[in-house]
Amino acid sequence: MPAHEGSCLCGQTKITVEKKGTQQALCHCLDCQQTSGSAYVTVAVVSEAGLKVEGPTKVFESPSESGRIIYRTFCSNCGSQLTHKSSFMGKGIAVLTGNLPDFAHIPITTEMYVKDRWSVLPAIEGATQFHAMPPGVPPFDE
């Protein structure tokens, strides 16, 4: 039985994560702000092998600040962003947790790109703060 299930806004693309998540992160980078249309995105890094995305999708490739290509997957019907991946993440993939309802109860343990955080947003108490990208991939269960 999957640990987390969700979908895009229109419901045509389903997301299944097989391992139970215990933490998530906020990313305040300018790219995440633009792709979400908001101040940040919430993500959990999961094993790519333990993730299933079923339904209509489209991938958009863009260079990150480091020059690595980021592959952002969206529902091709409604445009909801589902995942993003780069070579930095190894066997992991970032799943946008706003599409997975039970992540509303999982703690945010990390904030990335706080240099781009909106000045009206306070730091999350107890979360590790990174000026830009963390030095290593956040841990995840394989």
Side-chain angles (χ1 to χ4, degrees), residues 26-101:
L26 291 186
C27 184
H28 298 276
C29 81
L30 300 177
D31 287 350
C32 283
Q33 289 178 20
Q34 266 197 298
T35 60
S36 70
S38 186
Y40 54 82
V41 296
T42 55
V43 297
V45 177
V46 302
S47 167
E48 194 167 15
L51 172 69
K52 188 176 0 175
V53 177
E54 299 176 293
T57 61
K58 185 170 182 168
V59 176
F60 177 73
E61 299 177 18
S62 62
S64 68
E65 198 173 84
S66 70
R68 289 184 181 97
I69 298 299
I70 299 177
Y71 302 90
R72 297 178 188 276
T73 302
F74 297 84
C75 171
S76 61
N77 185 54
C78 68
S80 293
Q81 187 180 354
L82 307 167
T83 68
H84 62 257
K85 167 107 178 129
S86 77
S87 61
F88 170 78
M89 302 174 87
K91 295 179 182 181
I93 187 167
V95 176
L96 279 81
T97 56
N99 299 309
L100 300 161

Side-chain angles (χ1 to χ4, degrees), residues 65 111-117 129-134:
E65 198 173 84
E111 287 191 81
M112 302 174 286
Y113 280 90
V114 297
K115 69 184 182 86
D116 297 328
R117 179 175 35 224
Q129 306 289 307
F130 290 100
H131 183 72
M133 183 61 84

Side-chain angles (χ1 to χ4, degrees), residues 102-126:
D102 39 321
F103 271 88
H105 308 288
I106 294 175
I108 293 169
T109 58
T110 305
E111 287 191 81
M112 302 174 286
Y113 280 90
V114 297
K115 69 184 182 86
D116 297 328
R117 179 175 35 224
W118 290 7
S119 62
V120 297
L121 296 176
I124 292 180
E125 189 175 331

